[in-house]
Structure formats: C-alpha cells, structure tokens
Amino acid sequence: MTVTIRTARTLTAVGAALTLVSPFLAWTWTARYPGNLTLNGYPGGSQLVTLVTGLLAVAFTTRHLAPGGAVRALRAASLAALTSTWITVGAIAVTLGGVVNIEPGGWLAAAGTALLAAGAHTLPDDTVDSPPPGRKLPRAVEIAVITAVFLAAMYILAYGITTESAEEFLAFLPAAGLGVKALSASGLAARLSRITARNRTATAIAAFAAALAFPFTQTGDQYTAIADNILVFAAVALGLNIVVGLVGLLDLGYVAFLGTGAYTAALVSGSTFSTLDIGPWPFWATALLGMAVSLVAGVLIGAPTLRLHGDYLAIVTLGFGEIFRITVNNLDGTSGPSLTNGPNGINSVPNVEILGFDLGEPHTVLGVEFGRFANYYLLLLAVIALIVFVYARAGDSRIGRAWIALREDEKAATAMGIEGFRYKLLAFGLGASLAGLAGTVMAHLQTNAVPDNYKFADTAPPNSAFLLAAVVLGGMGTISGPLVGAALLYLIPAKFEFFNQYQMMLFGLALIIMMRFRPEGLVPDRKHQLEFHDEEVARAEARRAAAEATA
C-alpha cells in the first residue's frame, strides 16, 4: 500500500510539473489556430486555462487548503486541466489538418495532464464528512476575501464572454465547471458561504462592484452587447424564479410578460412605427407603465387559472404564451385592430434618455469611453439590482414564507390558515411586473418589439423554455442560481453557432446529464440539495457514527 501511495504521489508531482511548464512552450507552429499558441515563454489563449487549472491542482496537493478533503478536490482540478488541454490539442489537430501541427509543448501538456489525473485518481480518498467550520476571521479580512472572490469570478465570466472562438470556449467551459467542483469538494465553497452569510450587505456590494468593473475592461461593444443580452435574460429568469422557485408553479408562458413590457415601451416611445400618437415618455414613466400593464396581464391570466395544479396549470400558461404571440402577430390592421404592426412589429424604438444622457451616444466615465452597449449595461445592472432587492425582501418576508409553505405542501399550508390562491396570485403578478420591467429595457436595447422574440422555444434565448431551464439549471429558490443559469444558457448557443442544426439536441442532452448528476442545480438551495441527496447524507451520517463508535 505504501508503494502504491508513493507511486501515486510521484505521478501527481511529475504530472503537475509538466502541466505548469507546458503553457510556456509553443503548442502549434501557426497563428491560424485561435489564441496564438506559437510563442515560447508567453502563455496565451487556452494555455492560460491549462496553467490556471494546473495551479489549482497544485494548491490542493496540501490539506491546508482543503478542509473537506484534498484528494477529491485534486481529482476534480486534475480533470479540469485534462479536459481543457486535450480538447485544445485535439482541436489543433482537427482544425489545422493533423497531429503533425502539434508542437512539443502540446504533447508535453497532454502527457502532463494525463499523468496528473492518473496520479490524483490513484491516491486514497481522504474526504471529511463534516469538515471543521474554520475560525472566524476579522470583519475587514472577510470583506477582503469576498471582494477578491467576486472579482475573480467576474474575471472568469469575462474570459468566457470574450473568447473569440468556439474552440477556446469549448476548452474553457468544462474547466470552469470542474474547477468549481474542486472548490466545492475541498470545503472552501462551504466556508465562503458561511462568510457571505455573515456579511450579506458587503457581499451584495462586492457583487455589484465586480459586475460594474466589466465594461471598464472592454475596448469595444462586441462583448458588452453579449453581456447586455445575458443581463436581460437573467432579469427575466429572476422574476420567473419567484413563480417557479418560491411558489412551485410551473409557468411555461412567462416570456409573454416580457413581450408585454416590450410592446408597451415601444408604443409610448415616440417611434415613427408606433400606432399610438403618444410619447416619447420619460424612461421612468415607461418602466412603470410596462410593469403595470404586465402586472394587469399577470392578474388577468392568473385569476382564472391559478386554481389549477401541476400539469394542468403548465398547459394553460403554455397556451397563454402562444395566445400572446399570435395576438400581437394579428394586430396588424388586417387580421385585427391596428396596434402592433403584426409580424413587422414596432421598429426604430429610440434610445433611452435619463437625466439628459442619451444612452445611444458615447460618454466618458473615469477616462473610459462608454459606447451604446456599455451605457445599457449600466442601466441593466441597476435593473438587476432592483429585482434582486425585491426578490430578497419578498423571499425573507412573511409573504415569502407563505410562498415556500405552499410550495412544500399546499394542503398543509392551507390547513394552517394560508390562503393559497391569494398568495399565488400575488407571486404571479409580482413575477409578471418584473418581467415587464426587463421588457421595457429590452425594447430600447434591441430597438424593436416583434412577435418572433417571444416564442415558447427557439434556438436562442430568451424564450419560455430557456427561461425555465435557466431557473432549474441554475438552482430554484436562489438569487445567484438563475443568474448563473442565464449566463450559461445564453453563452453556449452564442458560442456554438457552428452546431446550429444540432443546438436543440445538444441542449437537451446537456439538461439530461445535468438533471442526472446535479438535479438541485448549479447553485442549489440548501433544502433542495438535501432532498435530492438524502441517501448520500444518510450514508455520511452512518460513516460518522461508525467512526465515533470505533473511536
């Protein structure tokens, strides 16, 4: 056994050394492969991913940084390095026409990560079922840790957004996922969760500050436009999370409320294509009107349908979403009254103007020129902050506790005096109004409101299917879950456009894999996590009891 452990440690050490050296050597001879992997002594492109995941693996070779168990964390980090490196090396061979295009640095990276992963998976497991919580740090230190973590997370997300090719993004995605798994297995994620729970205000400020830093790192609008669309998607997903995550209602037509807000804003925007001789209204008035109209729509559709349950409610909401799209498609003056211009929609929606600042014009902030999409990024951050505030306050209130009680057991909640229909209608209306707010910004951002933007399912978000998937994939009942889910579900189709005819198939396959191995979502609610993994928890309790009995 001693020889096996010594051999495993040797393999791990040699693999880690080769992994860290290889990014400083050329992986191919031509700059035709994205990221320019031809330089010696200067990592670039996907080599940076291999270097970072290699450093993460080296960090977990010691128990000091892994209170929950170093070996499982090391295994996950080694797999992150392995998958990223082998995807890149394989893509070099496929893209450039053969393995002859792989330079020695590429072969060294492939061999090093393979040895690292082999050694890590040979080591005996040292997982601790109940790692020590760790001593409480001074408040200033905890705030510094929170800030550093959010800045690092924003840098990683920005790297994913700004990858210039599908090959680079394909190497980045599994590395990021397995890297997060390594942090979770090490116990560091749990400790960070306890630190953020003790400093909620500082956590919110740090998250907002990290997001605010993104446009300052960009020199153009190409990637800021992607970030804008992610924020719109995330804002709507957060609103849907009130209905699905807190109350447990399956809404398959939620995108209609986004469309309601968008059409309302377009009609009063002063656009030359608007059929109403109204406007332009100030943005604050447009936002309030969009929220109010969406709220009325939510109440009108919710009042007769929320007495239904389960599949029946889902079918009715699906029908409502399709009715909305067909209705705005027919309000063209021929099939119905002239209101929405039918399939042509309302175009040339002017840019938002706030306090004399036209968001369509470039402005200089702290010496950095902000273009149109950077301006809208700041507006959308404010919208996200407002929605997060409303979600957090509602979820922690008496109303939020009633919603959760209805979600867990409606009959028991009703027996305890909670009026289910009234509370569900309140959630439906609140979620609809938040979607309407996001819709008002979306109409100005995209400069139009057309029926094709509000389908149940399409190859690109936002649509009802992707919105629901973002909530489930990210984690129902949490704030950060839908944000993470929305970012992933927008980026993956955007980066993998070459899979156009297979997008929905790959999307479905990814969801199946996700639901099989992590049904509680990427950022799960603690209660949901325990429900889905109760057998694992029971086994951990049994191991702990056996260890105590033996001692």
Side-chain angles (χ1 to χ4, degrees):
M1 184 66 180
T2 305
V3 175
T4 303
I5 294 176
R6 184 181 296 116
T7 303
R9 288 176 176 171
T10 302
L11 284 174
T12 303
V14 173
L18 296 179
T19 299
L20 295 181
V21 169
S22 62
F24 295 91
L25 302 175
W27 287 15
T28 185
W29 61 275
T30 173
R32 286 191 295 127
Y33 187 82
N36 194 6
L37 312 184
T38 63
L39 302 178
N40 288 307
Y42 189 80
S46 299
Q47 290 174 323
L48 291 172
V49 180
T50 298
L51 179 61
V52 171
T53 51
L55 289 172
L56 187 64
V58 170
F60 290 136
T61 55
T62 172
R63 186 61 181 270
H64 299 293
L65 291 178
V71 172
R72 283 195 180 182
L74 175 60
R75 290 172 181 173
S78 67
L79 287 178
L82 179 70
T83 53
S84 173
T85 303
W86 280 65
I87 286 173
T88 302
V89 172
I92 291 173
V94 172
T95 303
L96 301 181
V99 296
V100 69
N101 295 287
I102 303 174
E103 289 290 297
W107 292 114
L108 190 68
T113 53
L115 289 175
L116 175 61
H121 284 77
T122 308
L123 290 170
D125 194 357
D126 62 347
T127 302
V128 177
D129 292 328
S130 296
R135 63 186 181 88
K136 187 176 179 179
L137 301 173
R139 184 177 179 81
V141 176
E142 290 189 340
I143 292 175
V145 169
I146 292 171
T147 304
V149 168
F150 275 103
L151 287 174
M154 178 50 63
Y155 176 81
I156 293 171
L157 179 59
Y159 180 90
I161 292 175
T162 57
T163 49
E164 297 182 355
S165 67
E167 291 89 347
E168 288 182 290
F169 186 75
L170 188 61
F172 160 79
L173 191 60
L178 289 167
V180 172
K181 182 180 179 180
L183 293 173
S184 178
S186 69
L188 292 179
R191 286 192 174 179
L192 178 64
S193 178
R194 286 189 286 268
I195 292 175
T196 56
R198 291 195 294 265
N199 303 274
R200 291 189 177 183
T201 302
T203 299
I205 294 174
F208 186 79
L212 192 61
F214 175 77
F216 289 94
T217 66
Q218 303 301 304
T219 56
D221 278 342
Q222 178 183 0
Y223 300 114
T224 312
I226 296 177
D228 287 350
N229 288 309
I230 290 175
L231 288 181
V232 170
F233 190 17
V236 186
L238 271 172
L240 178 60
N241 199 27
I242 293 177
V243 179
V244 176
L246 293 182
V247 194
L249 302 176
L250 186 57
D251 188 348
L252 299 181
Y254 189 75
V255 75
F257 301 123
L258 175 69
T260 302
Y263 269 98
T264 301
L267 286 170
V268 301
S269 65
S271 167
T272 55
F273 289 87
S274 173
T275 57
L276 301 180
D277 189 17
I278 300 176
W281 284 27
F283 176 71
W284 64 267
T286 301
L288 290 176
L289 181 63
M291 293 178 69
V293 174
S294 298
L295 173 63
V296 171
V299 172
L300 289 178
I301 189 61
T305 61
L306 286 177
R307 299 186 189 279
L308 300 173
H309 301 276
D311 298 340
Y312 302 102
L313 177 62
I315 291 171
V316 170
T317 56
L318 173 61
F320 166 67
E322 289 301 294
I323 288 172
F324 169 81
R325 184 179 61 83
I326 294 171
T327 299
V328 296
N329 201 48
N330 289 335
L331 296 179
D332 57 356
T334 302
S335 302
S338 178
L339 183 63
T340 65
N341 296 326
N344 294 322
I346 302 173
N347 299 295
S348 299
V349 177
N351 287 298
V352 172
E353 187 172 321
I354 301 177
L355 299 177
F357 288 93
D358 186 345
L359 298 192
E361 299 295 329
H363 298 91
T364 301
V365 180
L366 299 178
V368 179
E369 184 176 288
F370 276 34
R372 178 177 185 272
F373 292 106
N375 294 332
Y376 274 99
Y377 180 90
L378 298 180
L379 175 61
L380 283 165
L381 270 188
V383 170
I384 288 283
L386 175 61
I387 294 177
V388 168
F389 176 78
V390 171
Y391 183 97
R393 297 303 298 170
D396 291 338
S397 68
R398 179 175 59 85
I399 295 174
R401 292 192 292 272
W403 285 341
I404 294 173
L406 289 170
R407 180 191 70 192
E408 297 301 322
D409 193 328
E410 184 173 350
K411 291 182 178 179
T414 303
M416 296 299 293
I418 296 175
E419 189 177 345
F421 174 76
R422 183 164 65 91
Y423 280 103
K424 287 193 288 185
L425 186 61
L426 178 61
F428 214 72
L430 179 59
S433 65
L434 295 179
L437 174 60
T440 61
V441 182
M442 181 179 175
H444 290 280
L445 175 65
Q446 298 185 347
T447 69
N448 62 42
V450 294
D452 286 344
N453 286 344
Y454 314 109
K455 296 180 179 179
F456 167 71
D458 200 356
T459 56
N463 54 67
S464 291
F466 271 79
L467 286 169
L468 183 61
V471 173
V472 176
L473 178 68
M476 293 187 295
T478 64
I479 292 176
S480 54
L483 298 177
V484 174
L488 282 177
L489 290 182
Y490 186 88
L491 277 177
I492 291 174
K495 295 295 184 180
F496 292 159
E497 291 181 354
F498 61 93
F499 282 141
N500 189 38
Q501 57 181 332
Y502 303 109
Q503 269 188 3
M504 294 306 292
M505 182 188 73
L506 294 174
F507 171 67
L509 180 62
L511 285 183
I512 291 172
I513 295 174
M514 184 67 193
M515 292 301 99
R516 167 61 183 85
F517 293 102
R518 197 173 177 85
E520 69 273 21
L522 295 172
V523 187
D525 176 74
R526 179 63 177 167
K527 182 177 180 61
H528 284 167
Q529 190 174 27
L530 292 176
E531 288 176 353
F532 283 113
H533 297 281
D534 53 351
E535 294 183 0
E536 296 179 12
V537 173
R539 285 196 295 269
E541 292 290 343
R543 287 197 300 269
R544 188 183 305 111
E548 291 176 355
T550 304

